[in-house]
Amino acid sequence: MDASVQSPAWRPPYLSYRTLVWFLDHEVHSAPLPPRIDRSYLHGYAVTTQAQLLKILGLLELVDLSTGTVRPRLRTVTGKPDVRRDVMRQWARSFYREQLELADEHASSMALYASFTRHGITGATLRKAVAFFLALCGDVELASSPHFRPVPQKGALIQEQPVASLGSSDASIRHEEFTFGPAGGIAVWTDLDWSQLPQETVDRLQRLLRELGRLAGPPAGNGDTAGPP
């Protein structure tokens, strides 16, 4: 299992973790396995889910990543949740090494998100990939920082929130993207306790965000920007 976050082509899974667990613990166990798993075997799933299932099965070395040929390991984990967890725990320690180091340091959610975005994982893919990682840690009992949280749903621009609502004692994590057509875009993350900032600073930050919005036009859609699986 050589895939690691150091690879420039690192692409984490972003399917529903529950779907993967159901597939391995129940669905595959319900009938004899074919010698090869392909999209026709996964006909009951959406096309994007089929691709992600095939990818994670390959990453876990349960099937051959290029051909879909079933490997003996798949037969040992199907219907055996404890064995599956052991296999996934071993894989995760290598594949998510950077994220698990952050967990050991009790890092913030922002640090976790950055460990994905530096590899080009953004938008809806970021939200799903982080959710998969957090669910995996919980299922196989890997350490997770008490500060790790799922990526917030993309919502209104920060400047559209009343200052009073931002001035709570808890830091408010927000994410917004501004696109500039084929030239690219600007992603803005904030993790601030706005009540601790001088009002002048709050006003200037909000003016800056409004100006970005005017320059870029409508906010970017919540699409999958990480490329094909």
Side-chain angles (χ1 to χ4, degrees):
M1 300 183 186
D2 298 328
S4 73
V5 294
Q6 278 65 43
S7 168
W10 186 73
R11 287 293 181 268
Y14 57 89
L15 78 162
S16 162
Y17 188 77
R18 184 179 298 179
T19 296
L20 175 63
V21 169
W22 173 262
F23 180 79
L24 292 175
D25 290 357
H26 302 282
E27 186 164 338
V28 179
H29 185 58
S30 64
L33 274 169
R36 181 174 178 269
I37 291 183
D38 54 24
R39 288 178 183 263
S40 66
Y41 180 80
L42 304 172
H43 63 88
Y45 295 92
V47 173
T48 54
T49 302
Q50 291 175 10
Q52 280 293 300
L53 272 173
L54 289 171
K55 175 182 176 178
I56 186 62
L57 293 176
L59 290 173
L60 290 167
E61 298 185 356
L62 303 178
V63 303
D64 184 274
L65 191 57
S66 59
T67 66
T69 301
V70 170
R71 292 185 169 180
R73 184 193 295 262
L74 179 57
R75 302 182 189 278
T76 66
V77 304
T78 56
K80 303 181 183 71
D82 290 340
V83 177
R84 171 187 58 74
R85 290 188 183 97
D86 288 341
V87 168
M88 297 187 71
R89 186 183 303 112
Q90 178 185 358
W91 166 75
R93 284 173 175 156
S94 172
F95 189 84
Y96 290 108
R97 185 168 66 248
E98 181 180 356
Q99 288 75 21
L100 292 174
E101 288 174 354
L102 290 172
D104 288 340
E105 296 168 0
H106 307 300
S108 69
S109 289
M110 295 295 289
L112 175 65
Y113 306 159
S115 72
F116 286 83
T117 58
R118 71 169 54 99
H119 295 279
I121 313 301
T122 61
T125 302
L126 173 64
R127 188 176 68 251
K128 295 174 185 177
V130 170
F132 182 94
F133 168 71
L134 294 176
L136 168 67
C137 289
D139 182 41
V140 305
E141 298 181 344
L142 286 170
S144 180
S145 168
H147 309 297
F148 283 174
R149 297 289 185 274
V151 178
Q153 287 281 348
K154 190 170 179 181
L157 294 172
I158 298 172
Q159 66 267 23
E160 293 175 351
Q161 303 296 324
V163 173
S165 71
L166 294 171
S168 65
S169 59
D170 294 325
S172 178
I173 299 174
R174 301 280 179 175
H175 170 219
E176 189 54 57
E177 295 177 8
F178 303 91
T179 58
F180 294 84
I186 297 174
V188 177
W189 293 87
T190 62
D191 186 4
L192 291 170
D193 183 348
W194 292 77
S195 66
Q196 300 301 311
L197 295 175
Q199 186 60 46
E200 180 183 358
T201 301
V202 172
D203 293 341
R204 293 180 67 180
L205 286 172
Q206 291 183 329
R207 285 197 298 270
L208 174 61
L209 290 170
R210 281 197 283 275
E211 182 61 23
L212 276 174
R214 283 194 290 268
L215 288 172
N222 197 15
D224 179 349
T225 59

